[in-house]
Amino acid sequence: MWFDPLCPWAWMTSRWLMEVEKVRDIEVTWSVMSLSVLNEGRDLPPDYREMLDRGWGPVRVVTAAALANGDEVKKPLYDAVGTRLHPGGRGKDAQDLHAVVVESLAGAGLPADLIDAYDNVPGDAVDTALRASHDRAISLVGEDVGTPVITVAGTSFFGPVVTPAPKGEAAGKLWDGCVLVASTPGFYELKRTRTQGPDFS
């Protein structure tokens, strides 16, 4: 699964996949993508652009943590950041978002100096690794998506966008269905209008 720490829908999907791991024979590998990279150069509403400008920091720090400590640290750090942002309701402004990442590094038992990556210069090793991971996700599903992206056994798709995250066997049935439709040759899209926001319960 590819995630952007700021995306509440990716958070919902990640919680669902954790349930799927309990009832299906899968093991999730966690990777980063970036809504900030995805939307570079696009004409967007000012409030969304401001959110994307803030969005570089958390995903850079997750990337830097993995470069320095191995891929296995991505999930604990994502859990720490996401818990504070999504059910915790934090990070609505730049100062608090930065504080969330500082706290999350400590909560995940990672070195505090990884926060230096928050404001990395574009083109450095962290930025290069972030863009490579992002580009890998996009190469699997195309440009007309966001986060999350999932790939399994050669089948890749955006989503699912679901709330609340199904639990137990319901999570497994959704997994079965997603893999079935996504692996059908020529299948591209199912969609309906969202009528509620993420339910973090």
Side-chain angles (χ1 to χ4, degrees), residues 36-87:
S36 301
V37 173
L38 183 68
N39 290 285
E40 279 183 314
R42 294 185 180 177
D43 186 22
L44 299 167
D47 58 337
Y48 192 62
R49 171 56 58 199
E50 191 272 333
M51 186 272 293
L52 293 175
D53 289 346
R54 285 187 284 118
W56 287 100
V59 75
R60 282 174 171 158
V61 172
V62 173
T63 302
L67 287 174
N69 300 276
D71 286 344
E72 63 273 9
V73 304
K74 285 187 278 193
K75 175 66 165 42
L77 184 53
Y78 178 39
D79 288 346
V81 172
T83 298
R84 288 167 172 82
L85 293 183
H86 303 303

mmCIF file of all heavy atoms in Angstrom, residues 36-87:
data_model
loop_
_atom_site.group_PDB
_atom_site.id
_atom_site.type_symbol
_atom_site.label_atom_id
_atom_site.label_comp_id
_atom_site.label_asym_id
_atom_site.label_seq_id
_atom_site.Cartn_x
_atom_site.Cartn_y
_atom_site.Cartn_z
ATOM 1 N N SER A 36 1.358 16.015 -2.523
ATOM 2 C CA SER A 36 2.077 17.244 -2.894
ATOM 3 C C SER A 36 2.802 17.058 -4.225
ATOM 4 O O SER A 36 2.800 17.942 -5.074
ATOM 5 C CB SER A 36 3.064 17.626 -1.789
ATOM 6 O OG SER A 36 2.392 17.829 -0.569
ATOM 7 N N VAL A 37 3.428 15.901 -4.413
ATOM 8 C CA VAL A 37 4.073 15.600 -5.697
ATOM 9 C C VAL A 37 3.017 15.457 -6.784
ATOM 10 O O VAL A 37 3.148 16.028 -7.880
ATOM 11 C CB VAL A 37 4.916 14.311 -5.598
ATOM 12 C CG1 VAL A 37 5.436 13.903 -6.973
ATOM 13 C CG2 VAL A 37 6.070 14.492 -4.628
ATOM 14 N N LEU A 38 1.960 14.718 -6.497
ATOM 15 C CA LEU A 38 0.918 14.461 -7.483
ATOM 16 C C LEU A 38 0.317 15.745 -8.041
ATOM 17 O O LEU A 38 -0.021 15.823 -9.226
ATOM 18 C CB LEU A 38 -0.191 13.610 -6.847
ATOM 19 C CG LEU A 38 -1.337 13.173 -7.752
ATOM 20 C CD1 LEU A 38 -0.853 12.185 -8.800
ATOM 21 C CD2 LEU A 38 -2.463 12.564 -6.926
ATOM 22 N N ASN A 39 0.198 16.760 -7.195
ATOM 23 C CA ASN A 39 -0.487 17.992 -7.581
ATOM 24 C C ASN A 39 0.458 19.150 -7.899
ATOM 25 O O ASN A 39 0.008 20.294 -7.998
ATOM 26 C CB ASN A 39 -1.466 18.399 -6.474
ATOM 27 C CG ASN A 39 -2.644 17.451 -6.407
ATOM 28 O OD1 ASN A 39 -3.533 17.503 -7.250
ATOM 29 N ND2 ASN A 39 -2.655 16.575 -5.423
ATOM 30 N N GLU A 40 1.731 18.870 -8.059
ATOM 31 C CA GLU A 40 2.668 19.923 -8.436
ATOM 32 C C GLU A 40 2.238 20.565 -9.753
ATOM 33 O O GLU A 40 1.915 19.879 -10.718
ATOM 34 C CB GLU A 40 4.081 19.359 -8.599
ATOM 35 C CG GLU A 40 4.822 19.184 -7.313
ATOM 36 C CD GLU A 40 6.241 18.685 -7.527
ATOM 37 O OE1 GLU A 40 6.440 17.742 -8.314
ATOM 38 O OE2 GLU A 40 7.153 19.233 -6.888
ATOM 39 N N GLY A 41 2.228 21.898 -9.761
ATOM 40 C CA GLY A 41 1.932 22.632 -10.982
ATOM 41 C C GLY A 41 0.464 22.701 -11.355
ATOM 42 O O GLY A 41 0.118 23.303 -12.373
ATOM 43 N N ARG A 42 -0.403 22.106 -10.577
ATOM 44 C CA ARG A 42 -1.837 22.139 -10.881
ATOM 45 C C ARG A 42 -2.481 23.380 -10.285
ATOM 46 O O ARG A 42 -2.109 23.840 -9.204
ATOM 47 C CB ARG A 42 -2.527 20.891 -10.352
ATOM 48 C CG ARG A 42 -2.085 19.610 -11.040
ATOM 49 C CD ARG A 42 -2.869 18.412 -10.565
ATOM 50 N NE ARG A 42 -2.427 17.192 -11.228
ATOM 51 C CZ ARG A 42 -2.903 15.986 -10.971
ATOM 52 N NH1 ARG A 42 -3.852 15.830 -10.046
ATOM 53 N NH2 ARG A 42 -2.444 14.925 -11.616
ATOM 54 N N ASP A 43 -3.480 23.910 -10.967
ATOM 55 C CA ASP A 43 -4.234 25.063 -10.489
ATOM 56 C C ASP A 43 -5.298 24.551 -9.516
ATOM 57 O O ASP A 43 -6.234 23.853 -9.919
ATOM 58 C CB ASP A 43 -4.876 25.793 -11.670
ATOM 59 C CG ASP A 43 -5.556 27.077 -11.253
ATOM 60 O OD1 ASP A 43 -5.192 27.626 -10.185
ATOM 61 O OD2 ASP A 43 -6.458 27.541 -11.987
ATOM 62 N N LEU A 44 -5.130 24.869 -8.241
ATOM 63 C CA LEU A 44 -5.984 24.318 -7.201
ATOM 64 C C LEU A 44 -6.540 25.427 -6.321
ATOM 65 O O LEU A 44 -5.949 26.509 -6.229
ATOM 66 C CB LEU A 44 -5.176 23.344 -6.334
ATOM 67 C CG LEU A 44 -4.582 22.134 -7.053
ATOM 68 C CD1 LEU A 44 -3.563 21.451 -6.168
ATOM 69 C CD2 LEU A 44 -5.675 21.165 -7.471
ATOM 70 N N PRO A 45 -7.645 25.178 -5.621
ATOM 71 C CA PRO A 45 -8.160 26.165 -4.667
ATOM 72 C C PRO A 45 -7.101 26.489 -3.615
ATOM 73 O O PRO A 45 -6.336 25.607 -3.206
ATOM 74 C CB PRO A 45 -9.367 25.470 -4.034
ATOM 75 C CG PRO A 45 -9.776 24.412 -5.012
ATOM 76 C CD PRO A 45 -8.504 23.971 -5.695
ATOM 77 N N PRO A 46 -7.049 27.744 -3.168
ATOM 78 C CA PRO A 46 -5.993 28.161 -2.233
ATOM 79 C C PRO A 46 -5.910 27.322 -0.957
ATOM 80 O O PRO A 46 -4.807 27.040 -0.489
ATOM 81 C CB PRO A 46 -6.363 29.613 -1.912
ATOM 82 C CG PRO A 46 -7.140 30.084 -3.095
ATOM 83 C CD PRO A 46 -7.889 28.874 -3.589
ATOM 84 N N ASP A 47 -7.042 26.911 -0.384
ATOM 85 C CA ASP A 47 -6.982 26.142 0.868
ATOM 86 C C ASP A 47 -6.383 24.759 0.631
ATOM 87 O O ASP A 47 -5.620 24.254 1.457
ATOM 88 C CB ASP A 47 -8.363 26.050 1.535
ATOM 89 C CG ASP A 47 -9.420 25.405 0.643
ATOM 90 O OD1 ASP A 47 -9.250 25.413 -0.595
ATOM 91 O OD2 ASP A 47 -10.417 24.897 1.193
ATOM 92 N N TYR A 48 -6.691 24.155 -0.515
ATOM 93 C CA TYR A 48 -6.120 22.845 -0.819
ATOM 94 C C TYR A 48 -4.631 22.969 -1.134
ATOM 95 O O TYR A 48 -3.828 22.141 -0.707
ATOM 96 C CB TYR A 48 -6.862 22.190 -1.985
ATOM 97 C CG TYR A 48 -6.525 20.723 -2.160
ATOM 98 C CD1 TYR A 48 -6.804 19.801 -1.157
ATOM 99 C CD2 TYR A 48 -5.927 20.262 -3.332
ATOM 100 C CE1 TYR A 48 -6.493 18.451 -1.307
ATOM 101 C CE2 TYR A 48 -5.614 18.912 -3.491
ATOM 102 C CZ TYR A 48 -5.903 18.019 -2.477
ATOM 103 O OH TYR A 48 -5.585 16.690 -2.630
ATOM 104 N N ARG A 49 -4.267 24.027 -1.842
ATOM 105 C CA ARG A 49 -2.849 24.277 -2.139
ATOM 106 C C ARG A 49 -2.058 24.466 -0.843
ATOM 107 O O ARG A 49 -0.950 23.951 -0.696
ATOM 108 C CB ARG A 49 -2.716 25.502 -3.041
ATOM 109 C CG ARG A 49 -1.287 26.008 -3.258
ATOM 110 C CD ARG A 49 -0.346 24.959 -3.805
ATOM 111 N NE ARG A 49 -0.796 24.408 -5.063
ATOM 112 C CZ ARG A 49 -0.377 23.252 -5.568
ATOM 113 N NH1 ARG A 49 0.496 22.503 -4.895
ATOM 114 N NH2 ARG A 49 -0.836 22.809 -6.717
ATOM 115 N N GLU A 50 -2.637 25.182 0.129
ATOM 116 C CA GLU A 50 -1.963 25.411 1.412
ATOM 117 C C GLU A 50 -1.748 24.084 2.140
ATOM 118 O O GLU A 50 -0.697 23.825 2.715
ATOM 119 C CB GLU A 50 -2.788 26.374 2.268
ATOM 120 C CG GLU A 50 -2.073 26.887 3.513
ATOM 121 C CD GLU A 50 -2.260 25.961 4.726
ATOM 122 O OE1 GLU A 50 -3.288 25.255 4.762
ATOM 123 O OE2 GLU A 50 -1.379 25.959 5.605
ATOM 124 N N MET A 51 -2.753 23.205 2.091
ATOM 125 C CA MET A 51 -2.626 21.891 2.722
ATOM 126 C C MET A 51 -1.523 21.074 2.044
ATOM 127 O O MET A 51 -0.720 20.432 2.714
ATOM 128 C CB MET A 51 -3.957 21.141 2.651
ATOM 129 C CG MET A 51 -3.964 19.820 3.413
ATOM 130 S SD MET A 51 -3.396 18.382 2.475
ATOM 131 C CE MET A 51 -4.672 18.223 1.249
ATOM 132 N N LEU A 52 -1.469 21.135 0.725
ATOM 133 C CA LEU A 52 -0.436 20.393 0.000
ATOM 134 C C LEU A 52 0.955 20.941 0.286
ATOM 135 O O LEU A 52 1.926 20.181 0.365
ATOM 136 C CB LEU A 52 -0.712 20.434 -1.502
ATOM 137 C CG LEU A 52 -1.959 19.685 -1.966
ATOM 138 C CD1 LEU A 52 -2.197 19.912 -3.449
ATOM 139 C CD2 LEU A 52 -1.864 18.202 -1.656
ATOM 140 N N ASP A 53 1.065 22.248 0.453
ATOM 141 C CA ASP A 53 2.361 22.836 0.798
ATOM 142 C C ASP A 53 2.842 22.321 2.153
ATOM 143 O O ASP A 53 4.030 22.061 2.353
ATOM 144 C CB ASP A 53 2.270 24.367 0.808
ATOM 145 C CG ASP A 53 2.122 24.959 -0.593
ATOM 146 O OD1 ASP A 53 2.357 24.233 -1.583
ATOM 147 O OD2 ASP A 53 1.758 26.146 -0.700
ATOM 148 N N ARG A 54 1.914 22.153 3.103
ATOM 149 C CA ARG A 54 2.255 21.587 4.408
ATOM 150 C C ARG A 54 2.549 20.095 4.314
ATOM 151 O O ARG A 54 3.268 19.536 5.139
ATOM 152 C CB ARG A 54 1.102 21.789 5.403
ATOM 153 C CG ARG A 54 0.953 23.195 5.924
ATOM 154 C CD ARG A 54 -0.096 23.269 7.020
ATOM 155 N NE ARG A 54 -1.449 23.210 6.491
ATOM 156 C CZ ARG A 54 -2.354 22.262 6.763
ATOM 157 N NH1 ARG A 54 -2.063 21.274 7.577
ATOM 158 N NH2 ARG A 54 -3.555 22.293 6.236
ATOM 159 N N GLY A 55 1.977 19.446 3.305
ATOM 160 C CA GLY A 55 2.049 18.002 3.200
ATOM 161 C C GLY A 55 3.424 17.437 2.911
ATOM 162 O O GLY A 55 3.657 16.242 3.109
ATOM 163 N N TRP A 56 4.357 18.273 2.450
ATOM 164 C CA TRP A 56 5.705 17.781 2.166
ATOM 165 C C TRP A 56 6.400 17.262 3.423
ATOM 166 O O TRP A 56 7.102 16.247 3.375
ATOM 167 C CB TRP A 56 6.558 18.895 1.565
ATOM 168 C CG TRP A 56 6.218 19.252 0.160
ATOM 169 C CD1 TRP A 56 5.464 20.317 -0.254
ATOM 170 C CD2 TRP A 56 6.622 18.563 -1.032
ATOM 171 N NE1 TRP A 56 5.372 20.318 -1.626
ATOM 172 C CE2 TRP A 56 6.074 19.261 -2.123
ATOM 173 C CE3 TRP A 56 7.382 17.422 -1.266
ATOM 174 C CZ2 TRP A 56 6.274 18.851 -3.438
ATOM 175 C CZ3 TRP A 56 7.589 17.009 -2.568
ATOM 176 C CH2 TRP A 56 7.033 17.722 -3.639
ATOM 177 N N GLY A 57 6.243 17.951 4.537
ATOM 178 C CA GLY A 57 7.004 17.641 5.746
ATOM 179 C C GLY A 57 6.835 16.220 6.253
ATOM 180 O O GLY A 57 7.821 15.483 6.402
ATOM 181 N N PRO A 58 5.595 15.776 6.541
ATOM 182 C CA PRO A 58 5.430 14.429 7.102
ATOM 183 C C PRO A 58 5.942 13.317 6.187
ATOM 184 O O PRO A 58 6.604 12.385 6.652
ATOM 185 C CB PRO A 58 3.914 14.328 7.315
ATOM 186 C CG PRO A 58 3.466 15.740 7.490
ATOM 187 C CD PRO A 58 4.342 16.546 6.570
ATOM 188 N N VAL A 59 5.652 13.404 4.900
ATOM 189 C CA VAL A 59 6.062 12.323 4.004
ATOM 190 C C VAL A 59 7.575 12.325 3.799
ATOM 191 O O VAL A 59 8.199 11.274 3.620
ATOM 192 C CB VAL A 59 5.270 12.383 2.671
ATOM 193 C CG1 VAL A 59 5.748 13.500 1.777
ATOM 194 C CG2 VAL A 59 5.289 11.046 1.966
ATOM 195 N N ARG A 60 8.198 13.490 3.877
ATOM 196 C CA ARG A 60 9.663 13.547 3.821
ATOM 197 C C ARG A 60 10.283 12.871 5.042
ATOM 198 O O ARG A 60 11.279 12.146 4.921
ATOM 199 C CB ARG A 60 10.129 15.000 3.756
ATOM 200 C CG ARG A 60 10.011 15.652 2.404
ATOM 201 C CD ARG A 60 10.351 17.124 2.500
ATOM 202 N NE ARG A 60 10.447 17.754 1.199
ATOM 203 C CZ ARG A 60 10.321 19.068 1.004
ATOM 204 N NH1 ARG A 60 10.098 19.869 2.030
ATOM 205 N NH2 ARG A 60 10.428 19.564 -0.216
ATOM 206 N N VAL A 61 9.709 13.108 6.200
ATOM 207 C CA VAL A 61 10.270 12.529 7.418
ATOM 208 C C VAL A 61 10.098 11.007 7.416
ATOM 209 O O VAL A 61 11.013 10.277 7.810
ATOM 210 C CB VAL A 61 9.660 13.177 8.673
ATOM 211 C CG1 VAL A 61 10.103 12.453 9.940
ATOM 212 C CG2 VAL A 61 10.062 14.654 8.753
ATOM 213 N N VAL A 62 8.947 10.512 6.974
ATOM 214 C CA VAL A 62 8.770 9.063 6.872
ATOM 215 C C VAL A 62 9.809 8.481 5.911
ATOM 216 O O VAL A 62 10.416 7.436 6.180
ATOM 217 C CB VAL A 62 7.337 8.703 6.422
ATOM 218 C CG1 VAL A 62 7.211 7.208 6.158
ATOM 219 C CG2 VAL A 62 6.314 9.139 7.470
ATOM 220 N N THR A 63 10.037 9.153 4.795
ATOM 221 C CA THR A 63 11.019 8.689 3.820
ATOM 222 C C THR A 63 12.422 8.702 4.414
ATOM 223 O O THR A 63 13.185 7.736 4.272
ATOM 224 C CB THR A 63 10.970 9.560 2.553
ATOM 225 O OG1 THR A 63 9.643 9.518 2.008
ATOM 226 C CG2 THR A 63 11.970 9.086 1.510
ATOM 227 N N ALA A 64 12.770 9.789 5.094
ATOM 228 C CA ALA A 64 14.095 9.889 5.720
ATOM 229 C C ALA A 64 14.285 8.814 6.780
ATOM 230 O O ALA A 64 15.366 8.231 6.900
ATOM 231 C CB ALA A 64 14.275 11.272 6.339
ATOM 232 N N ALA A 65 13.239 8.541 7.550
ATOM 233 C CA ALA A 65 13.322 7.512 8.588
ATOM 234 C C ALA A 65 13.611 6.147 7.972
ATOM 235 O O ALA A 65 14.423 5.370 8.490
ATOM 236 C CB ALA A 65 12.029 7.476 9.396
ATOM 237 N N ALA A 66 12.951 5.849 6.851
ATOM 238 C CA ALA A 66 13.178 4.565 6.184
ATOM 239 C C ALA A 66 14.577 4.488 5.591
ATOM 240 O O ALA A 66 15.229 3.438 5.667
ATOM 241 C CB ALA A 66 12.124 4.352 5.101
ATOM 242 N N LEU A 67 15.059 5.573 5.019
ATOM 243 C CA LEU A 67 16.412 5.574 4.460
ATOM 244 C C LEU A 67 17.451 5.324 5.547
ATOM 245 O O LEU A 67 18.442 4.627 5.323
ATOM 246 C CB LEU A 67 16.697 6.907 3.765
ATOM 247 C CG LEU A 67 15.997 7.147 2.426
ATOM 248 C CD1 LEU A 67 16.265 8.574 1.942
ATOM 249 C CD2 LEU A 67 16.450 6.130 1.376
ATOM 250 N N ALA A 68 17.225 5.892 6.723
ATOM 251 C CA ALA A 68 18.207 5.797 7.801
ATOM 252 C C ALA A 68 18.071 4.523 8.628
ATOM 253 O O ALA A 68 19.058 4.043 9.200
ATOM 254 C CB ALA A 68 18.083 7.010 8.720
ATOM 255 N N ASN A 69 16.857 3.966 8.711
ATOM 256 C CA ASN A 69 16.601 2.877 9.659
ATOM 257 C C ASN A 69 15.961 1.643 9.052
ATOM 258 O O ASN A 69 15.688 0.678 9.772
ATOM 259 C CB ASN A 69 15.707 3.394 10.796
ATOM 260 C CG ASN A 69 16.334 4.540 11.549
ATOM 261 O OD1 ASN A 69 17.127 4.322 12.442
ATOM 262 N ND2 ASN A 69 15.984 5.767 11.180
ATOM 263 N N GLY A 70 15.677 1.664 7.766
ATOM 264 C CA GLY A 70 15.052 0.518 7.118
ATOM 265 C C GLY A 70 13.553 0.697 6.943
ATOM 266 O O GLY A 70 12.906 1.457 7.672
ATOM 267 N N ASP A 71 13.002 -0.023 5.953
ATOM 268 C CA ASP A 71 11.589 0.132 5.613
ATOM 269 C C ASP A 71 10.649 -0.241 6.755
ATOM 270 O O ASP A 71 9.508 0.223 6.798
ATOM 271 C CB ASP A 71 11.252 -0.723 4.389
ATOM 272 C CG ASP A 71 11.788 -0.134 3.097
ATOM 273 O OD1 ASP A 71 12.153 1.060 3.080
ATOM 274 O OD2 ASP A 71 11.841 -0.884 2.097
ATOM 275 N N GLU A 72 11.117 -1.065 7.685
ATOM 276 C CA GLU A 72 10.222 -1.518 8.749
ATOM 277 C C GLU A 72 9.781 -0.392 9.681
ATOM 278 O O GLU A 72 8.836 -0.567 10.447
ATOM 279 C CB GLU A 72 10.870 -2.643 9.566
ATOM 280 C CG GLU A 72 12.135 -2.234 10.306
ATOM 281 C CD GLU A 72 13.415 -2.345 9.484
ATOM 282 O OE1 GLU A 72 13.336 -2.578 8.260
ATOM 283 O OE2 GLU A 72 14.495 -2.191 10.083
ATOM 284 N N VAL A 73 10.431 0.765 9.625
ATOM 285 C CA VAL A 73 10.028 1.869 10.508
ATOM 286 C C VAL A 73 8.894 2.704 9.910
ATOM 287 O O VAL A 73 8.300 3.525 10.617
ATOM 288 C CB VAL A 73 11.213 2.790 10.871
ATOM 289 C CG1 VAL A 73 12.342 1.984 11.502
ATOM 290 C CG2 VAL A 73 11.702 3.590 9.685
ATOM 291 N N LYS A 74 8.593 2.500 8.637
ATOM 292 C CA LYS A 74 7.553 3.324 8.001
ATOM 293 C C LYS A 74 6.203 3.139 8.672
ATOM 294 O O LYS A 74 5.509 4.126 8.965
ATOM 295 C CB LYS A 74 7.453 3.010 6.506
ATOM 296 C CG LYS A 74 8.585 3.590 5.701
ATOM 297 C CD LYS A 74 8.380 3.421 4.205
ATOM 298 C CE LYS A 74 8.799 2.063 3.761
ATOM 299 N NZ LYS A 74 8.913 1.967 2.280
ATOM 300 N N LYS A 75 5.806 1.916 8.925
ATOM 301 C CA LYS A 75 4.482 1.671 9.501
ATOM 302 C C LYS A 75 4.359 2.220 10.916
ATOM 303 O O LYS A 75 3.366 2.916 11.225
ATOM 304 C CB LYS A 75 4.170 0.172 9.454
ATOM 305 C CG LYS A 75 2.844 -0.231 10.134
ATOM 306 C CD LYS A 75 1.650 0.327 9.411
ATOM 307 C CE LYS A 75 0.334 -0.321 9.800
ATOM 308 N NZ LYS A 75 0.100 -0.595 11.198
ATOM 309 N N PRO A 76 5.296 1.958 11.833
ATOM 310 C CA PRO A 76 5.140 2.549 13.168
ATOM 311 C C PRO A 76 5.110 4.079 13.149
ATOM 312 O O PRO A 76 4.350 4.687 13.910
ATOM 313 C CB PRO A 76 6.362 2.041 13.938
ATOM 314 C CG PRO A 76 6.859 0.869 13.204
ATOM 315 C CD PRO A 76 6.439 1.031 11.776
ATOM 316 N N LEU A 77 5.912 4.682 12.281
ATOM 317 C CA LEU A 77 5.897 6.147 12.212
ATOM 318 C C LEU A 77 4.598 6.635 11.590
ATOM 319 O O LEU A 77 4.018 7.630 12.053
ATOM 320 C CB LEU A 77 7.114 6.653 11.434
ATOM 321 C CG LEU A 77 7.273 8.167 11.356
ATOM 322 C CD1 LEU A 77 7.233 8.819 12.738
ATOM 323 C CD2 LEU A 77 8.567 8.532 10.619
ATOM 324 N N TYR A 78 4.129 5.956 10.560
ATOM 325 C CA TYR A 78 2.831 6.308 9.965
ATOM 326 C C TYR A 78 1.721 6.181 11.005
ATOM 327 O O TYR A 78 0.866 7.067 11.123
ATOM 328 C CB TYR A 78 2.559 5.399 8.765
ATOM 329 C CG TYR A 78 1.234 5.611 8.086
ATOM 330 C CD1 TYR A 78 0.691 6.879 7.891
ATOM 331 C CD2 TYR A 78 0.511 4.519 7.607
ATOM 332 C CE1 TYR A 78 -0.528 7.058 7.242
ATOM 333 C CE2 TYR A 78 -0.703 4.684 6.952
ATOM 334 C CZ TYR A 78 -1.218 5.957 6.771
ATOM 335 O OH TYR A 78 -2.426 6.128 6.128
ATOM 336 N N ASP A 79 1.728 5.111 11.779
ATOM 337 C CA ASP A 79 0.724 4.941 12.830
ATOM 338 C C ASP A 79 0.764 6.094 13.823
ATOM 339 O O ASP A 79 -0.281 6.616 14.236
ATOM 340 C CB ASP A 79 0.945 3.628 13.577
ATOM 341 C CG ASP A 79 0.586 2.404 12.754
ATOM 342 O OD1 ASP A 79 -0.085 2.541 11.713
ATOM 343 O OD2 ASP A 79 0.987 1.297 13.165
ATOM 344 N N ALA A 80 1.974 6.486 14.212
ATOM 345 C CA ALA A 80 2.119 7.557 15.208
ATOM 346 C C ALA A 80 1.629 8.893 14.662
ATOM 347 O O ALA A 80 0.901 9.633 15.340
ATOM 348 C CB ALA A 80 3.581 7.661 15.644
ATOM 349 N N VAL A 81 2.021 9.209 13.432
ATOM 350 C CA VAL A 81 1.585 10.468 12.808
ATOM 351 C C VAL A 81 0.081 10.429 12.556
ATOM 352 O O VAL A 81 -0.659 11.354 12.913
ATOM 353 C CB VAL A 81 2.348 10.724 11.493
ATOM 354 C CG1 VAL A 81 1.751 11.925 10.747
ATOM 355 C CG2 VAL A 81 3.834 10.964 11.754
ATOM 356 N N GLY A 82 -0.374 9.352 11.926
ATOM 357 C CA GLY A 82 -1.776 9.268 11.537
ATOM 358 C C GLY A 82 -2.741 9.274 12.705
ATOM 359 O O GLY A 82 -3.817 9.869 12.621
ATOM 360 N N THR A 83 -2.373 8.626 13.794
ATOM 361 C CA THR A 83 -3.237 8.618 14.975
ATOM 362 C C THR A 83 -3.440 10.034 15.506
ATOM 363 O O THR A 83 -4.549 10.416 15.909
ATOM 364 C CB THR A 83 -2.647 7.720 16.071
ATOM 365 O OG1 THR A 83 -2.573 6.379 15.563
ATOM 366 C CG2 THR A 83 -3.498 7.738 17.333
ATOM 367 N N ARG A 84 -2.383 10.826 15.482
ATOM 368 C CA ARG A 84 -2.490 12.208 15.958
ATOM 369 C C ARG A 84 -3.277 13.079 14.981
ATOM 370 O O ARG A 84 -4.060 13.942 15.392
ATOM 371 C CB ARG A 84 -1.085 12.781 16.189
ATOM 372 C CG ARG A 84 -0.387 12.198 17.406
ATOM 373 C CD ARG A 84 1.100 12.537 17.441
ATOM 374 N NE ARG A 84 1.729 12.137 18.685
ATOM 375 C CZ ARG A 84 2.153 10.906 18.963
ATOM 376 N NH1 ARG A 84 2.008 9.938 18.063
ATOM 377 N NH2 ARG A 84 2.708 10.630 20.126
ATOM 378 N N LEU A 85 -3.074 12.853 13.680
ATOM 379 C CA LEU A 85 -3.734 13.696 12.677
ATOM 380 C C LEU A 85 -5.207 13.362 12.498
ATOM 381 O O LEU A 85 -6.035 14.270 12.409
ATOM 382 C CB LEU A 85 -3.046 13.538 11.318
ATOM 383 C CG LEU A 85 -1.626 14.048 11.170
ATOM 384 C CD1 LEU A 85 -1.155 13.865 9.729
ATOM 385 C CD2 LEU A 85 -1.519 15.510 11.584
ATOM 386 N N HIS A 86 -5.521 12.093 12.387
ATOM 387 C CA HIS A 86 -6.858 11.714 11.926
ATOM 388 C C HIS A 86 -7.825 11.517 13.089
ATOM 389 O O HIS A 86 -8.640 12.412 13.329
ATOM 390 C CB HIS A 86 -6.747 10.542 10.958
ATOM 391 C CG HIS A 86 -5.849 10.873 9.800
ATOM 392 N ND1 HIS A 86 -6.068 11.963 8.970
ATOM 393 C CD2 HIS A 86 -4.694 10.317 9.358
ATOM 394 C CE1 HIS A 86 -5.114 12.041 8.062
ATOM 395 N NE2 HIS A 86 -4.268 11.054 8.279
ATOM 396 N N PRO A 87 -7.766 10.440 13.854
ATOM 397 C CA PRO A 87 -8.664 10.416 15.017
ATOM 398 C C PRO A 87 -8.343 11.511 16.025
ATOM 399 O O PRO A 87 -9.232 12.003 16.716
ATOM 400 C CB PRO A 87 -8.470 9.019 15.608
ATOM 401 C CG PRO A 87 -7.262 8.453 14.976
ATOM 402 C CD PRO A 87 -7.039 9.177 13.692
#
